[in-house]
Amino acid sequence: QVQLVESGGGSVQAGGSLRLSCAASGYTYSSSCMGWFRQAPGKAREGVVIIDSAARTSYADSVKGRFTISQDNAKNTLYLQMNSLKPEDTAMYYCAAGQSSGGSCYRLPSYFDYWGQGTQVTVSS
């Protein structure tokens, strides 16, 4: 059974930093797509960043230069380092896992099969 468990969310002031973690189990971690998504109240879930098995990444324009995805395959853990946080980054953040499509990963929720329960990030101005 696949399990994804996020941690590390919280409340920070604008300009601050947070590091999210996602512990994965029951999943072929090293052979597919992993990613972070977020959903603000009243908005659709959006892809923040994804990473494939070759460690290629795709970031949303809104977070480029501020957020960094990384993974520790030995620990089956995915990370999201978030710096220079803005109030518009406030959302529930989800870790997701899925299989590649034609050898590629896409930063769209429909391409991901497994989801964590989410961790809340709140950035105040």
Side-chain angles (χ1 to χ4, degrees):
Q1 184 177 355
V2 176
Q3 276 196 317
L4 301 172
V5 180
E6 303 100 332
S7 60
S11 297
V12 296
Q13 290 192 325
S17 298
L18 284 173
R19 188 195 195 202
L20 306 183
S21 299
C22 172
S25 61
Y27 185 70
T28 309
Y29 182 83
S30 62
S31 61
S32 297
C33 311
M34 298 288 293
W36 290 96
F37 292 77
R38 67 186 180 186
Q39 188 166 18
K43 294 189 177 181
R45 189 167 297 189
E46 64 170 344
V48 176
V49 58
I50 60 169
I51 186 168
D52 69 11
S53 58
R56 291 172 297 199
T57 59
S58 173
Y59 288 87
D61 287 343
S62 59
V63 306
K64 281 181 181 176
R66 300 188 298 120
F67 290 12
T68 303
I69 190 171
S70 63
Q71 57 189 15
D72 185 332
N73 289 338
K75 295 183 179 180
N76 278 0
T77 301
L78 187 72
Y79 301 99
L80 181 65
Q81 178 66 45
M82 304 186 295
N83 298 328
S84 302
L85 282 161
K86 303 175 180 180
E88 51 264 43
D89 294 319
T90 295
M92 186 72 78
Y93 282 71
Y94 297 91
C95 173
Q99 296 292 333
S100 62
S101 175
S104 298
C105 299
Y106 298 92
R107 197 165 23 87
L108 293 170
S110 58
Y111 283 87
F112 288 78
D113 303 307
Y114 304 103
W115 295 85
Q117 81 288 350
T119 186
Q120 178 68 37
V121 171
T122 302
V123 185
S124 58
S125 57

